[in-house]
């Protein structure tokens, strides 16, 4: 398995360009099932979660033409059997979106329960609540979620928990339902707005995406279009934090600064300068990093997907910082790895208390999930000496060319296989 070997302690400097948003692209790729004509998607990140979504479509009968590494033409008209291949579905969370999209098109779907990052229990009860409100019945047998409806009919329902995946599934299942669907307590993340923009460009009638009430009036036909995925909020935030954590000076290009406001505010609170431009942000640090408190919240609050990276920065901030993240049960699993590098962190339930230390030191650490993995890369960039980050397949699920991008802004990071490392060590 590949690893990253990082020689740390170098401030990042220069310009880096952000790729298309993973969490928008996985929803949009799945939603091509609802299109009645071929669609062309641009700015799709070249990451393994997307490859798996494309494989699922292909194995179900879609035809996919890769135009270049970030652009593809997808024609899902060849899909006739709405059954998602088991092993592929188990490897990503976004496979749950095939429930909403297949149900929306075929009025039936057989989908294995989704996989993805192990962040603790990740129930789908709210997704099922939405499908049931639209008239679908579900059963779970042999590990497969089966959804069946004679007709999908618009309805009003309230999510008991604000859920990104549930909101995406509710939109996809209702976009061709009869009449009006009203989704209350909807999630407001940028990728939900991007999915709605994609569907509306094809002729859907979705109002209110980005607020907590979304109204979907069903339509019969969705036409083929060319659509460009938004830039990745979390990838951008990760480079912003890496710039600050290494006391560097980096221009982060191809971003939507509005999507980054909560991250920008916290970086300013710890003493970083963040300048905002139309499509870029400039982050630099020329003084000490200061303690702060962070509480993760659904958008527009501070994203849970940025918590591990930001907590890593706080390991070298002056004083004691407090980070609370209760969106998922298990988002502090990287902490024991950071401790190997000299970080002083204690975790009680969903709160981490971080006592800033002068410096981290390189060690061999293991990524436990996607964002935890990038947090360890940031720790390796901050640390003196050499850090080896194992299990980088987690990182490759969501970051396009992270090693090349970091090297282009002054990092020293090499990808190595076990074989290379054994040879090097002797
Ligand atoms: C999405 O996961 C993202 N994944 C996650 O990003 C992100 O961490 C999360 O939203 C929160 O922002 C994708 O977009 C593919 P949720 P999702 O449904 O949809 C509870 C990353 O690193 N809940 O908003 O699975 C749930 O347990 C990944 O890119 C229910 O109780 O998250 C959690 O406590 C990791 N019942 C909360 O809601 C349900 O039916 C939010 O989950 C659904 C969710």
């Amino acid at each position: 398995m590949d690893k990253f070997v990082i020689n740390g302690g170098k401030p990042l400097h220069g310009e880096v360009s952000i790729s298309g948003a993973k969490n928008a692209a996985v929803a949009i790729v799945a939603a091509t099932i609802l299109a009645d004509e071929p669609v062309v998607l641009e700015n799709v990140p070249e990451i393994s979660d997307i490859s798996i979504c494309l494989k699922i479509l292909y194995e179900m009968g879609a035809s996919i033409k890769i135009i270049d590494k970030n652009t593809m033409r997808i024609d899902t008209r060849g899909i006739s059997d709405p059954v998602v291949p088991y092993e592929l579905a188990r490897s990503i969370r976004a496979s749950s979106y095939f429930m909403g999209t297949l149900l929306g098109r075929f009025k039936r779907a057989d989908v294995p329960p989704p996989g993805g990052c192990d962040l603790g229990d990740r129930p789908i009860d709210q997704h099922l609540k939405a499908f049931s409100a639209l008239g679908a019945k579900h059963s779970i047998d042999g590990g497969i979620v089966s959804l069946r409806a004679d007709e999908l009919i618009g309805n009003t329902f309230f999510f008991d928990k604000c859920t990104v995946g549930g909101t995406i599934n509710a939109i996809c299942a209702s976009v061709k339902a009869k009449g009006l669907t009203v989704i209350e307590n909807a999630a407001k993340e940028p990728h939900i707005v991007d999915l709605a923009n994609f569907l509306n460009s094809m002729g859907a009638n979705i109002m209110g995406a980005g607020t907590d009430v979304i109204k979907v009036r069903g339509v019969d036909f969705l036409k083929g279009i060319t659509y460009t995925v938004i830039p990745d909020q979390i990838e951008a935030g990760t480079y912003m934090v890496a710039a600050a954590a290494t006391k560097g000076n980096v221009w982060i290009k191809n971003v939507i600064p509005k999507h980054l406001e909560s991250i920008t505010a916290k970086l300013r609170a710890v003493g970083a300068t963040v300048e905002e431009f139309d499509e870029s942000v400039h982050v630099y640090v020329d003084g000490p990093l200061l303690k702060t408190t962070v509480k993760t919240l659904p958008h527009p609050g501070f994203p849970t997907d940025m918590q591990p990276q930001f907590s890593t920065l706080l390991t070298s901030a002056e004083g004691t910082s407090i980070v609370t993240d209760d969106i998922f049960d298990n988002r502090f699993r990287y902490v024991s790895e950071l401790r190997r590098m000299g970080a002083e962190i204690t975790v009680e339930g969903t709160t981490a208390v971080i006592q800033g230390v002068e410096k981290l030191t390189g060690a061999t650490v293991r990524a436990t999930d996607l964002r935890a993995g990038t947090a360890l890369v940031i720790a390796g960039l901050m640390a003196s000496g050499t850090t080896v980050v194992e299990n980088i397949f987690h990182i490759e699920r969501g970051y396009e060319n992270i090693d090349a991008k970091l090297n282009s802004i002054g990092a020293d990071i090499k990808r190595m296989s076990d074989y290379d490392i054994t040879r090097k060590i002797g």
Side-chain angles (χ1 to χ4, degrees):
M1 253 185 261
D2 284 3
K3 304 166 189 217
F4 284 143
V5 178
I6 305 167
N7 288 311
K10 299 172 178 54
L12 298 180
H13 58 87
E15 277 183 25
V16 65
S17 185
I18 296 307
S19 301
K22 166 180 96 85
N23 288 345
V26 288
I28 289 171
V29 167
T32 60
I33 286 181
L34 292 158
D36 293 287
E37 293 175 345
V39 296
V40 174
L41 299 181
E42 299 174 331
N43 203 32
V44 178
E46 192 185 32
I47 53 174
S48 63
D49 268 19
I50 289 292
S51 312
I52 292 168
C53 284
L54 292 172
K55 266 190 208 147
I56 290 175
L57 286 180
Y58 178 77
E59 288 202 8
M60 286 195 299
S63 89
I64 297 167
K65 181 165 183 254
I66 304 295
I67 297 167
D68 65 43
K69 74 182 180 61
N70 301 115
T71 310
M72 58 215 56
R73 180 184 184 276
I74 303 177
D75 183 351
T76 59
R77 289 174 297 183
I79 298 177
S80 55
D81 192 17
V83 176
V84 175
Y86 192 86
E87 281 311 320
L88 290 173
R90 295 289 292 150
S91 54
I92 53 167
R93 179 71 186 169
S95 58
S96 69
Y97 298 153
F98 290 99
M99 294 193 291
T101 56
L102 290 170
L103 183 67
R105 171 163 155 193
F106 293 97
K107 316 284 176 279
R108 67 190 174 93
D110 289 317
V111 184
C117 286
D118 178 7
L119 310 175
D121 192 22
R122 297 182 75 177
I124 56 166
D125 58 302
Q126 298 303 305
H127 304 232
L128 298 176
K129 178 178 178 173
F131 300 143
S132 149
L134 297 170
K137 294 201 171 6
H138 72 266
S139 60
I140 301 180
D141 192 12
I144 308 288
V145 182
S146 295
L147 297 159
R148 300 286 183 272
D150 296 330
E151 243 189 337
L152 292 169
I153 299 177
N155 198 351
T156 296
F157 52 87
F158 183 91
F159 277 127
D160 304 324
K161 189 119 194 209
C162 185
T163 155
V164 171
T167 303
I168 286 175
N169 258 331
I171 292 173
C172 289
S174 57
V175 83
K176 287 183 160 179
K178 286 208 161 44
L180 182 68
T181 297
V182 181
I183 306 165
E184 295 181 344
N185 195 25
K188 302 190 279 267
E189 270 65 7
H191 28 293
I192 290 185
V193 179
D194 206 34
L195 171 73
N197 286 342
F198 166 67
L199 291 166
N200 281 342
S201 307
M202 295 197 293
N205 187 347
I206 303 165
M207 295 150 287
T211 75
D212 51 16
V213 180
I214 299 178
K215 294 184 178 168
V216 185
R217 197 171 285 286
V219 297
D220 291 332
F221 187 85
L222 295 177
K223 65 174 191 279
I225 52 161
T226 295
Y227 190 81
T228 306
V229 174
I230 53 166
D232 196 305
Q233 172 203 25
I234 304 300
E235 188 198 13
T238 300
Y239 285 98
M240 291 168 78
V241 169
T246 59
K247 302 208 171 166
N249 186 333
V250 180
W251 290 83
I252 295 140
K253 304 246 164 163
N254 185 34
V255 301
I256 299 175
K258 177 96 191 133
H259 293 168
L260 304 172
E261 277 175 348
S262 62
I263 303 163
T264 297
K266 277 297 158 196
L267 282 171
R268 287 179 177 153
V270 296
T273 302
V274 183
E275 296 168 344
E276 295 171 311
F277 300 88
D278 287 348
E279 292 181 1
S280 63
V281 289
H282 179 203
V283 180
Y284 61 92
V285 170
D286 51 16
L289 289 169
L290 311 171
K291 68 178 180 182
T292 193
T293 55
V294 178
K295 162 110 182 72
T296 61
L297 285 168
H299 191 78
F302 190 88
T304 173
D305 291 350
M306 282 303 302
Q307 180 272 110
Q309 303 91 310
F310 205 85
S311 298
T312 300
L313 171 149
L314 292 174
T315 62
S316 69
E318 285 180 2
T320 307
S321 298
I322 311 279
V323 177
T324 307
D325 187 355
D326 57 9
I327 305 238
F328 294 107
D329 303 336
N330 213 354
R331 234 174 171 173
F332 286 110
R333 290 200 306 157
Y334 62 93
V335 162
S336 53
E337 301 300 296
L338 282 185
R339 285 202 201 104
R340 292 175 201 275
M341 302 178 68
E344 287 186 17
I345 311 181
T346 52
V347 178
E348 277 288 332
T350 54
T351 299
V353 178
I354 305 171
Q355 177 63 52
V357 293
E358 204 158 297
K359 66 174 169 53
L360 300 178
T361 45
T364 295
V365 289
R366 180 162 292 175
T368 50
D369 64 63
L370 167 60
R371 309 301 172 188
T374 36
L376 297 175
V377 169
I378 292 173
L381 297 170
M382 293 162 68
S384 59
T386 302
T387 297
V388 178
V389 181
E390 300 178 334
N391 284 1
I392 62 169
F393 64 89
H394 285 296
I395 300 171
E396 291 174 333
R397 289 188 35 222
Y399 288 84
E400 179 170 299
N401 282 336
I402 188 170
D403 45 343
K405 285 191 186 187
L406 284 171
N407 283 331
S408 77
I409 49 174
D412 176 353
I413 167 165
K414 286 187 191 63
R415 174 188 305 263
M416 286 191 173
S417 64
D418 284 334
Y419 173 68
D420 296 330
I421 286 186
T422 319
R423 255 194 338 177
K424 201 168 168 213
I425 295 169

